[in-house]
Amino acid sequence: AQSVTQLGSHVSVSEGALVLLRCNYSSSVPPYLFWYVQYPNQGLQLLLKYTSAATLVKGINGFEAEFKKSETSFHLTKPSAHMSDAAEYFCARYNFNKFYFGSGTKLNVKP
Amino acid sequence: DGGITQSPKYLFRKEGQNVTLSCEQNLNHDAMYWYRQDPGQGLRLIYYSQIVNDFQKGDIAEGYSVSREKKESFPLTVTSAQKNPTAFYLCASSPAGQPSYNEQFFGPGTRLTVL
């Protein structure tokens, strides 16, 4: 069974607009959740992680994510998109010594 | 600088040949992982190792082999038994122990193309 599901393989926003990338996880306690970003032909870079200390998690580059247990969601947001945000984003979950990754969402930022 | 190195960046192989991808880390991490990435499929786990001289199969281990003789190194061999090896391969490491600290650090990847 897939541990994380990312809705939308491609998302397109205008520069300056809100970015919302969706991630839902399979119900379990406790979830350790992550968002990573990948630029073309590069490895993944950690944006932020949820470890139960706070439901609103702030990451690098102005991104943040909110853990909502009632919705089993961990959506990634950024108030104002920048051209440099164009990349692929992966939601991931840690469970029993392994990481489970979503299928990724490619973010396109239009000028 | 601490980090993970993968070599080579690009690799070409003829059908029927085995090839070994290198992964080295100087982060003093206990755990290391190999993933395969194909377009639209996210990352799929090939093998992982929590400690030296021990490793476990991931979800798509068939046609691959690994070794973990040193803490710093986790090479991946793509054998001729792997039917569709053309892909982007990513190596990662993480500290073992408390799950809340177990974020993964990734190398830059190796793109393997079978000719």
Side-chain angles (χ1 to χ4, degrees), chain B residues 49-68:
Chain B
S49 168
Q50 295 290 308
I51 195 169
V52 174
N53 292 323
D54 189 40
F55 48 83
Q56 289 78 41
K57 293 182 179 180
D59 301 318
I60 56 165
E62 185 176 352
Y64 300 97
S65 66
V66 293
S67 63
R68 187 83 188 277

Side-chain angles (χ1 to χ4, degrees), chain B residues 1-9 20-34 52 67-76 89-94 105-110:
Chain B
D1 283 332
I4 302 176
T5 57
Q6 291 186 243
S7 60
K9 179 72 173 176
T20 298
L21 282 59
S22 169
C23 178
E24 303 278 333
Q25 56 101 357
N26 60 4
L27 300 168
N28 199 33
H29 287 168
D30 289 305
M32 297 187 74
Y33 306 77
W34 272 107
V52 174
S67 63
R68 187 83 188 277
E69 298 177 359
K70 298 187 298 181
K71 187 175 184 178
E72 304 79 25
S73 179
F74 192 41
L76 173 74
Y89 291 87
L90 287 162
C91 179
S93 71
S94 69
F105 295 79
F106 283 83
T110 292

Side-chain angles (χ1 to χ4, degrees), chain A residues 32 34 36 38 40-46 49 51 88 90 94 96-104 106, chain B residues 9-10 33 35 37 40-43 45 48 50 59 88 90 94 99-104 106-108 111:
Chain A
Y32 296 101
F34 307 81
Y36 286 86
Q38 184 183 34
N41 293 312
Q42 294 186 25
L44 276 66
Q45 179 184 3
L46 181 71
K49 62 180 179 181
T51 59
E88 189 161 17
F90 292 92
Y94 176 82
F96 297 116
N97 295 328
K98 292 195 289 185
F99 290 79
Y100 299 87
F101 287 83
S103 55
K106 286 189 176 179
Chain B
K9 179 72 173 176
Y10 298 94
Y33 306 77
Y35 294 93
Q37 187 176 21
Q41 296 194 45
L43 277 67
L45 183 64
Y48 64 107
Q50 295 290 308
D59 301 318
F88 190 52
L90 287 162
S94 69
S100 60
Y101 301 114
N102 274 348
E103 64 185 77
Q104 285 193 316
F106 283 83
R111 185 166 298 279

Side-chain angles (χ1 to χ4, degrees), chain A residues 51-101:
Chain A
T51 59
S52 76
T55 56
L56 183 62
V57 182
K58 294 188 182 297
I60 63 172
N61 301 339
F63 284 94
E64 62 183 36
E66 186 173 8
F67 174 74
K68 291 187 176 180
K69 186 176 180 179
S70 61
E71 299 177 6
T72 62
S73 69
F74 190 56
H75 301 331
L76 182 70
T77 61
K78 182 174 181 178
S80 177
H82 192 272
M83 296 298 291
S84 60
D85 295 326
E88 189 161 17
Y89 293 80
F90 292 92
C91 181
R93 174 180 179 170
Y94 176 82
N95 197 28
F96 297 116
N97 295 328
K98 292 195 289 185
F99 290 79
Y100 299 87
F101 287 83

Side-chain angles (χ1 to χ4, degrees), chain A residues 22-40:
Chain A
R22 300 177 185 274
C23 174
N24 289 86
Y25 63 92
S26 301
S27 178
S28 180
V29 178
Y32 296 101
L33 299 166
F34 307 81
W35 275 102
Y36 286 86
V37 61
Q38 184 183 34
Y39 298 98

Side-chain angles (χ1 to χ4, degrees), chain B residues 72-88:
Chain B
E72 304 79 25
S73 179
F74 192 41
L76 173 74
T77 297
V78 184
T79 74
S80 56
Q82 169 51 234
K83 298 305 178 187
N84 185 23
T86 295
F88 190 52

